[in-house]
Amino acid sequence: MKYKMLHHRGGVISLSLNLIFILIFVALLVWKWDYVRNRFDNYCNSKSPSDQTLLAFNNNPLEVVNDSLIINADSTVSMVFLGNSITMCDVPLELPDKTPRGMTATSPEKDYVHRLVKMFAHKNNVNIQYSVCNIANFERGFTKINFNFDSLFANISISAPDYLIVQIGENVSREDIAHRTLFKQEYGRLLSSIDAAQKVITLPFWPDSRKQDIITEIALENGTRLSDISHLGAGTEPSNFAKSQQHYSVPGVGEHPSDTAMYRIAQVLLCNLTR
């Protein structure tokens, strides 16, 4: 009889403890619902936004941002960055701070441009003058518009930079990338429009075999260095996507690089800039 009472009491205690743990778990789930949902989304296969979604980003020409990083070094180098919303967005979406920067960086200092400038400056003990320009219109319009690059880059304060970094390809539609020869021709014309000592171009953040093949050929044919950042957007590492930082209601925004990915993009590019 005593054994039965102890067994019953133990069962009650065990059940009570289980109920307490369940209640704690439910409370934590409710409290951290957005975080849990974002983590779940990240572990699902990530993919690049659709062509229609990409058209919603940076549809209008953006002003060039000219800036500098001074660390009181004896020499100064110059850099020009050309890219799309990953490089610079004039009004970052769904973030309280609207300072122009890579669209989903939580602050300007955490986008890949600012991180790379700081890394390079301190690694080589140099001051840096740099310009950042969004050229998403070129990606979307190369089949329709004969771009005047002198006009497009008129507001860039640096005419012959030491380094030219070009990050494009993500906004080239699946239909337009079929114009292989034209894309190579226009991309080559873009690269030759700026006289830089060193030129680096990137593969798209969201992997696409056709784009990767063509941009690799462009690098070889134009004598530029090639930085592969496509592994970062392949979907194997959830922390590389902005949706790991917060929930975005606008489709496609969360698929852009997170602060973590911005740092990793800067690291990849730093390896391709020789001094």
Side-chain angles (χ1 to χ4, degrees), residues 131-175:
S131 293
V132 191
C133 180
N134 182 294
I135 58 169
N137 283 347
F138 167 76
E139 295 176 284
R140 299 186 182 119
F142 75 91
T143 62
K144 311 171 189 70
I145 303 170
N146 183 20
F147 283 92
N148 182 332
F149 293 117
D150 289 338
S151 175
L152 188 64
F153 302 144
N155 292 327
I156 292 179
S157 63
I158 305 165
S159 58
D162 296 301
Y163 302 93
L164 171 66
I165 297 95
V166 184
Q167 172 273 310
I168 59 171
E170 291 82 358
N171 288 307
V172 179
S173 71
R174 289 151 182 82
E175 178 184 356

Side-chain angles (χ1 to χ4, degrees), residues 243-258:
K243 62 186 180 182
S244 67
Q245 301 170 163
Q246 70 174 68
H247 173 68
Y248 291 91
S249 59
V250 177
V253 176
E255 302 298 335
H256 282 67
S258 63

Side-chain angles (χ1 to χ4, degrees), residues 198-218:
Q198 290 188 36
K199 300 179 182 181
V200 179
I201 65 178
T202 68
L203 294 178
F205 177 73
W206 302 300
D208 182 302
S209 59
R210 292 175 300 172
K211 294 179 184 180
Q212 289 169 284
D213 289 346
I214 296 171
I215 293 175
T216 299
E217 290 179 13
I218 290 169

Side-chain angles (χ1 to χ4, degrees), residues 184 216-224:
K184 289 173 64 175
T216 299
E217 290 179 13
I218 290 169
L220 291 171
E221 294 173 8
N222 290 272
T224 70

